[in-house]
Amino acid sequence: MTTRFMLCSFKTCPWVQRAAIVLRAKEVPYDITYIDRDHRPDWFLRISPHSKVPVLQIDGKEALFESNAIAEYLEETAAPRLHPEDPLARARNRAWTDYVPTFAEAISETAYANSEQEFAAQAEKMAGPFGKLEEALGKRGNAGPYFNGPKFSLVDAAYAPFLQRYTFMDRLKPLGMIEKFPRLAAWRDALLATAAVKASTVANIEAVWQENLILRKRWLAQLVSKSVLGASAAA
């Protein structure tokens, strides 16, 4: 019997996107339900202890929360294997996956800054996490294009959504940041060109992300083109 999966999401949530990337990379069929973040339904609150997404419902009976737990469950239950076979490499991947919140926070706090001054100050802080990843990518002992080499892995799925969000932000306000880290830039380019990543969001994700900046009244929102938002509303 085929297992039925339902992924609960907000349209712009990068943590849900991480789970969706793993599902896509493993070619696991799934449905997706979008939750209104301002009016979270009771059924969702019952299965999400933190009242957050993602939640993966399994056959309408079980529900997993937290993107890392979902990714590891899928790794154990669905082929192909995305973790490295070597135990040390696998542990190293898990360690760098645990670094994702630090990396994500640096990008998110910049994107959602409330003023130009705050934006500039937060943008400078991205150099630290970016440098750590640049160093890690340099120690892989391979030429890429992914974290471990030619094979896409769970650590790639974990970073892809946040490198995509950085790219969205960089197109609104060019920062000249990632260009200082050529390995990270090349990794970003490879991830965003990967089929599983491209298929992991709504089709107009960049415009929807920009709409969210406006709804949350962030400083970066003033740089959003009205023509882009019009296209988003029509989609």
Side-chain angles (χ1 to χ4, degrees):
M1 182 180 295
T2 302
T3 304
R4 293 180 294 107
F5 294 109
M6 172 69 76
L7 189 60
C8 301
S9 177
F10 306 140
K11 283 188 177 180
T12 61
C13 180
W15 300 103
V16 176
Q17 187 180 356
R18 174 188 181 184
I21 290 169
V22 177
L23 287 160
R24 293 284 185 175
K26 290 176 175 287
E27 298 184 349
V28 174
Y30 68 99
D31 295 314
I32 190 162
T33 295
Y34 293 108
I35 305 299
D36 183 341
R37 68 171 68 241
D38 296 320
H39 301 92
R40 306 177 196 204
D42 290 341
W43 66 264
F44 171 73
L45 296 176
R46 286 194 294 269
I47 62 175
S48 178
H50 301 308
S51 303
K52 298 178 181 179
V53 295
V55 172
L56 184 68
Q57 290 185 287
I58 306 167
D59 286 333
K61 299 175 183 178
E62 299 290 338
L64 284 177
F65 63 97
E66 297 293 345
S67 61
N68 189 55
I70 292 169
E72 291 286 349
Y73 165 78
L74 293 169
E75 177 69 355
E76 293 181 9
T77 59
R81 186 178 181 87
L82 298 181
H83 262 322
E85 293 292 339
D86 177 71
L88 180 57
R90 192 160 61 246
R92 188 180 300 115
N93 275 217
R94 286 185 168 125
W96 278 108
T97 297
D98 283 348
Y99 189 71
V100 170
T102 298
F103 187 81
E105 182 179 24
I107 294 170
S108 297
E109 289 192 354
T110 305
Y112 292 105
N114 290 309
S115 68
E116 185 173 9
Q117 293 75 18
E118 182 183 346
F119 179 89
Q122 294 295 342
E124 288 183 5
K125 295 180 182 179
M126 288 192 295
F130 277 36
K132 296 289 186 183
L133 264 295
E134 181 76 5
E135 184 179 0
L137 291 165
K139 291 180 177 179
R140 294 172 308 176
N142 60 66
Y146 300 120
F147 191 86
N148 299 304
K151 185 180 178 183
F152 188 84
S153 64
L154 288 185
V155 71
D156 294 303
Y159 279 93
F162 300 100
L163 286 165
Q164 185 182 60
R165 299 310 184 279
Y166 170 84
T167 303
F168 293 166
M169 176 172 58
D170 198 38
R171 282 201 276 256
L172 282 178
K173 177 68 173 175
L175 295 164
M177 176 65 71
I178 201 167
E179 293 81 2
K180 298 175 183 177
F181 306 97
R183 295 187 186 93
L184 182 62
W187 187 35
R188 183 272 306 271
D189 293 345
L191 291 177
L192 299 193
T194 300
V197 175
K198 292 196 289 186
S200 62
T201 65
V202 293
N204 57 335
I205 180 60
E206 187 166 5
V208 174
W209 179 83
Q210 291 177 351
E211 272 190 307
N212 194 44
L213 290 175
I214 292 174
L215 290 171
R216 295 173 70 171
K217 300 180 180 179
R218 303 306 185 182
W219 176 80
L220 201 58
Q222 66 184 301
L223 304 180
V224 175
S225 166
K226 292 181 179 180
S227 62
V228 171
L229 289 181
S232 172

